[in-house]
Amino acid sequence: MKYILIRGLCLIVIAFSASAENKAPLIVATYIEPPYSYYIDDEFAGIHVKIITLLAEKLNKQVKFVQCPFARCLSFLENGQADVIIGIRKTTERLQYLTYLDQPISTQTFPLQFYIRQDSDLHIANYSDLAKLRIGTLRAATYFDRFDHDQSLNKVEVVNYNQLIQMLLKDRIDTFLEREESVKPWIDHVDYKQKIKLADYLYNKSVDGYIAFSKKSTFINEIEQFSLMQNQLIKNGDIQAIRDNN
């Protein structure tokens, strides 16, 4: 009888711990990148915000969005201050502290393009033309392997898209690279047409974006359930419906 009471007590403690853990919010490291994530009317919105919210709801989880520059978001994930990030590229370095769900939530097909000032006489027609240029990049972001690992290039790191644009317009960098859909929301339409132009050189290869969990997250033991639910949302078209309606 004593053994049964002790075992029953243990079961109660375990059940209580699991219940307490399930009530903890899923902390989402969120970097501002319209139309995927932005902050308006005191709320987070955007395609990625809706996707992670839907996934959490299906698993009876609450979500808490924490806004951070991209590099700091990765730092939060590495040290366990955040649980999850959405729309991130899979790299060998990140696999050291992140666990990715099975399938990508998106495949980015828009090319990476190099932006220069409208009054610039720079001619960027191929990769070799990047030599000796001051190239703006987002801190901790990855673009494509050759560029990411090329230490001969003069890369100037900033924390957000607005800084990239402002530094270009003020002639503090010569160019920066990004996808057009990520740049347009950060600059006035008139300024975009009159002050910035695209270089001839671009990198046109699709990139998969994933939902990834910190290996230090309290939710890491539930990664299989998150993967199965995400796969179901992809299969039944719920995730595509979010994209189509934004």
Side-chain angles (χ1 to χ4, degrees), residues 182-200:
S182 295
V183 173
K184 277 190 171 181
W186 290 93
I187 186 169
D188 178 79
H189 177 72
V190 175
D191 285 347
Y192 184 82
K193 292 293 185 181
Q194 296 181 353
K195 298 182 180 181
I196 291 178
K197 63 182 177 180
L198 295 172
D200 292 334

Side-chain angles (χ1 to χ4, degrees), residues 1 28 40-42 80-81 98 105 107 112 120 142 180 198 207 223:
M1 181 65 68
V28 184
I40 186 170
D41 296 332
D42 298 324
Q81 288 180 264
L98 294 178
I105 58 158
T107 300
L112 281 166
S120 174
T142 60
E180 192 171 34
L198 295 172
V207 176
I223 198 78

Side-chain angles (χ1 to χ4, degrees), residues 145-163:
D145 287 346
R146 183 181 181 184
F147 180 86
D148 294 338
H149 298 115
D150 191 341
Q151 297 183 9
S152 70
L153 296 178
N154 180 15
K155 301 172 189 176
V156 181
E157 293 186 336
V158 301
V159 298
N160 58 45
Y161 293 104
N162 184 56
Q163 286 186 346

Side-chain angles (χ1 to χ4, degrees), residues 92-149:
T92 301
E93 180 183 10
R94 292 171 184 169
L95 282 168
Q96 296 176 20
Y97 58 91
L98 294 178
T99 298
Y100 291 76
L101 298 193
D102 291 340
Q103 294 189 61
I105 58 158
S106 64
T107 300
Q108 178 60 263
T109 56
F110 295 100
L112 281 166
Q113 298 177 291
F114 286 83
Y115 291 80
I116 55 179
R117 293 186 313 282
Q118 191 68 246
D119 60 359
S120 174
D121 58 0
L122 287 177
H123 185 61
I124 308 175
N126 51 61
Y127 188 89
S128 62
D129 291 331
L130 299 175
K132 298 183 180 181
L133 296 183
R134 300 165 298 170
I135 308 167
T137 62
L138 283 183
R139 187 170 299 155
T142 60
Y143 297 94
F144 57 96
D145 287 346
R146 183 181 181 184
F147 180 86
D148 294 338
H149 298 115

Side-chain angles (χ1 to χ4, degrees), residues 55 59 101-103 222-235:
L55 178 60
L59 293 171
L101 298 193
D102 291 340
Q103 294 189 61
E222 302 178 63
I223 198 78
E224 184 175 351
Q225 292 96 307
F226 278 98
S227 274
L228 289 172
M229 181 55 68
Q230 178 201 249
N231 294 347
Q232 181 178 326
L233 295 175
I234 292 173
K235 184 177 180 180

